[in-house]
Amino acid sequence: MTEDLADIWGRMFNFANYGELLALVQNSIVAAAVLGIVGGLIGVFVMQRDMAFAVHGISELSFAGAAGALLLGVNVVAGSLVGSLIAAVLIGILGAKARDRNSIIGVLMPFGLGLGILFLALYPGRSANKFGLLTGQIISVDIPQLGLLISLSVVVLVALLLVWRPLTFDSLDADVAAARGVPSRALSLGFMVLLGLTVAVSVQIIGSLLVLALLVTPAAAALRVSSSPVLVPLLSMVFGFVSAVGGILLALGGSLPISPYITTISFLIYVVCRIVGSRRSPRRLPRALATAGR
C-alpha cells in the first residue's frame, strides 16, 4: 500500500533533472502564459453573457477539427481553428436567444465529440497524440505553432479592447444596449468568432475536455471577490496566468497530462475566492452596468 502511494506520488511529482526539463518546454510556458491572460480576459464576457456551455460546445468541434487534421497529416492547430470557427459561427447565428443557443450547443456537442472519436479511431499514429487532443500536451508547441498562437491571441486582445465598452454594455443588458443603438447582433457574432479563436489555441495546451478551466473558472473566481469593471478583468487574467503557467511547471515534474494540474490550481483559486467572496455584499451587477452604460 505504502509503495503504491509512493509510486503514485512519484508519477505526479518527480523533480529530478527539473532544470534540464524546464529548458525543453519554454515554448509551452510562453504559450500557457499568453493563453492564461487571453482566456482570463475573454472569460469575463463568457460569464457576463452566460455562455460557459457555449465554450464546451465550441471545444468539442475544435477537437473534431484537430483530430481530422491529425488524421490527414496537416497542422493540428489549423484543424482546431476551423472546427472552432464553424461552431462559433453556427452558435452565433442560430443561437441568438438563450433557449435556441442551448439547443444548438446540445446538438453540436455530441456530433463534434463523435466525429473526433471517429477520426482518432482511424488515425494510425501514436496513441499519445490522440490522448493529447483531449487532455493537452506539455511539449507539443513548436516555434511555428507558438507564433500562430501569439498572433491569434494578439488579434483577440486588440479586438476585445476595441469593442470593450459596447460589448460590456450588451453583455449586461442586451435590450437596453439595443435601445441605445448598440449593434447587439453584430457584437454577439463577433464575440463568438473571438471566442472560437481563443478555444482553438487553448485546446493545443490544455485539451478539449478541460478548456473551461482557462476560459471560465478564472473569471468566475474573480467575480466572487470583486464587482469592479476594472479589477475583475485584471484578477481574471492573473488567475488564468497562474493556473496555466503553474500547471505546466508542476506537470513538468510528473509523467501525467498537463490538464489535471491546471484544472486543480484553477479550482483551488476559485474555492479561495468563493470563501473570501462569501464575506462580501452582493452588489456587483448594478455598478458594472452603470459604468458600461455611460
Side-chain angles (χ1 to χ4, degrees):
M1 181 67 178
T2 303
E3 292 181 356
D4 291 340
L5 291 176
D7 180 61
I8 293 174
W9 180 263
R11 293 180 61 192
M12 295 178 62
F13 305 103
N14 182 358
F15 296 101
N17 303 319
Y18 190 78
E20 298 176 4
L21 294 174
L22 191 62
L24 298 176
V25 296
Q26 291 182 352
N27 289 344
S28 295
I29 293 175
V30 174
V34 173
L35 287 179
I37 293 172
V38 176
L41 189 63
I42 202 169
V44 175
F45 292 105
V46 171
M47 294 301 297
Q48 289 176 343
R49 301 174 80 87
D50 192 19
M51 300 191 71
F53 194 40
V55 173
H56 199 28
I58 294 173
S59 70
E60 300 295 1
L61 263 294
S62 179
F63 162 65
L70 189 65
L71 176 63
L72 297 175
V74 298
N75 190 291
V76 173
V77 177
S80 174
L81 188 62
V82 171
S84 288
L85 290 179
I86 290 175
V89 171
L90 285 176
I91 295 172
I93 294 176
L94 302 178
K97 297 181 180 179
R99 183 178 59 184
D100 296 336
R101 185 166 61 238
N102 289 336
S103 298
I104 187 64
I105 294 171
V107 170
L108 287 177
M109 280 179 57
F111 173 69
L113 186 59
L115 203 59
I117 291 174
L118 172 63
F119 291 151
L120 290 187
L122 295 174
Y123 176 66
R126 296 190 314 141
S127 59
N129 292 336
K130 305 177 184 179
F131 198 53
L133 292 179
L134 294 171
T135 61
Q137 299 182 69
I138 192 171
I139 56 174
S140 62
V141 182
D142 55 24
I143 293 295
Q145 288 176 333
L146 181 62
L148 177 61
L149 185 149
I150 293 177
S151 300
L152 292 176
S153 298
V154 169
V155 169
V156 173
L157 282 175
V158 171
L160 282 178
L161 292 177
L162 289 176
V163 299
W164 187 272
R165 184 174 292 275
L167 183 61
T168 301
F169 193 18
D170 181 69
S171 299
L172 296 174
D173 195 325
D175 293 333
V176 175
R180 292 192 179 185
V182 175
S184 297
R185 183 74 173 175
L187 274 176
S188 178
L189 188 57
F191 174 74
M192 291 304 301
V193 172
L194 296 178
L195 184 59
L197 292 175
T198 308
V199 170
V201 294
S202 300
V203 165
Q204 185 68 15
I205 295 295
I206 195 172
S208 61
L209 292 181
L210 303 171
V211 72
L212 292 172
L214 284 185
L215 300 188
V216 174
T217 310
L223 286 168
R224 300 304 307 183
V225 296
S226 176
S227 60
S228 167
V230 175
L231 192 57
V232 167
L234 291 177
L235 283 175
S236 182
M237 287 189 290
V238 170
F239 294 159
F241 176 87
V242 171
S243 301
V245 176
I248 282 191
L249 294 179
L250 282 179
L252 193 58
S255 59
L256 302 177
I258 184 176
S259 51
Y261 298 92
I262 293 180
T263 54
T264 300
I265 295 175
S266 186
F267 175 73
L268 291 177
I269 290 175
Y270 176 79
V271 170
V272 172
C273 290
R274 180 103 190 176
I275 294 173
V276 173
S278 64
R279 301 175 182 277
R280 293 170 52 85
S281 58
R283 57 182 180 84
R284 56 180 70 92
L285 183 60
R287 181 179 173 185
L289 179 58
T291 302
R294 289 174 186 168

